[in-house]
Amino acid sequence: MDMRRIIAVLAEEAEQQIQDQVWELAPSERDLALETEAGLRDAVGSPDVQEALPEITRLEHLRETLAVLAISLARTHGHLAWFLSGALNALEPVLRWRALPANRGGTFGTVLPGPEDYTEAEDAVRHLQDVLAHIGRIKY
């Protein structure tokens, strides 16, 4: 399953839990969701902006999204933490990517992603941005 699909499944589950009132959002969760969304949006912009960047910069931006998610995860518990953990897990392949060629020696198991890999990851992050913005706007 690709990153976009995993994020879509997470979004569907979150929506269902919120709708069924299994996940009752606290104000602090809504605030953190909006803060996380803003951090992700700062890291990964629109497709036309991202695709014009060198691959090394695109990778830096994707790694920054992992940092934003990890910091947010460290600041919460329960349903939002589980959701953020799932998002981090979905984007985990980014951790094995490298943008530089291996001139000599090993690469510690890293791989060179293709342009479509960057696009997939960035699309997944944008979907995640939208989901977090939606979570942050939910009022009871």
Side-chain angles (χ1 to χ4, degrees):
M1 191 177 310
D2 75 17
M3 290 179 245
R4 288 176 290 224
R5 182 69 191 131
I6 295 169
I7 296 297
V9 168
L10 289 170
E12 290 168 11
E13 183 177 354
E15 182 64 34
Q16 191 63 52
Q17 286 187 19
I18 292 167
Q19 186 177 24
D20 293 345
Q21 297 181 345
V22 172
W23 180 4
E24 295 184 20
L25 289 158
S28 62
E29 288 178 302
R30 292 193 303 267
D31 292 345
L32 185 57
L34 290 175
E35 185 180 320
T36 305
E37 180 270 335
L40 295 178
R41 204 165 297 280
D42 285 345
V44 172
S46 64
D48 57 325
V49 170
Q50 288 301 123
E51 290 172 7
L53 297 172
E55 287 184 350
I56 196 165
T57 304
R58 291 175 80 179
L59 182 55
E60 288 171 3
H61 290 189
L62 287 167
R63 288 178 179 160
E64 187 175 332
T65 66
L66 295 171
V68 168
L69 289 169
I71 289 168
S72 295
L73 174 61
R75 296 174 50 206
T76 192
H77 302 281
H79 293 276
L80 183 57
W82 305 333
F83 176 78
L84 294 173
S85 177
L88 274 163
N89 189 52
L91 295 167
E92 182 271 336
V94 171
L95 293 172
R96 293 188 308 276
W97 293 357
R98 61 185 164 84
L100 300 174
N103 294 330
R104 292 187 304 170
T107 64
F108 302 98
T110 59
V111 297
L112 288 169
E116 67 283 351
D117 296 317
Y118 286 104
T119 300
E120 175 189 333
E122 291 161 351
D123 287 347
V125 170
R126 283 186 206 95
H127 189 171
L128 187 56
Q129 292 167 357
D130 293 342
V131 173
L132 288 165
H134 174 72
I135 288 171
R137 289 190 306 266
I138 293 174
K139 303 285 185 210
Y140 291 102

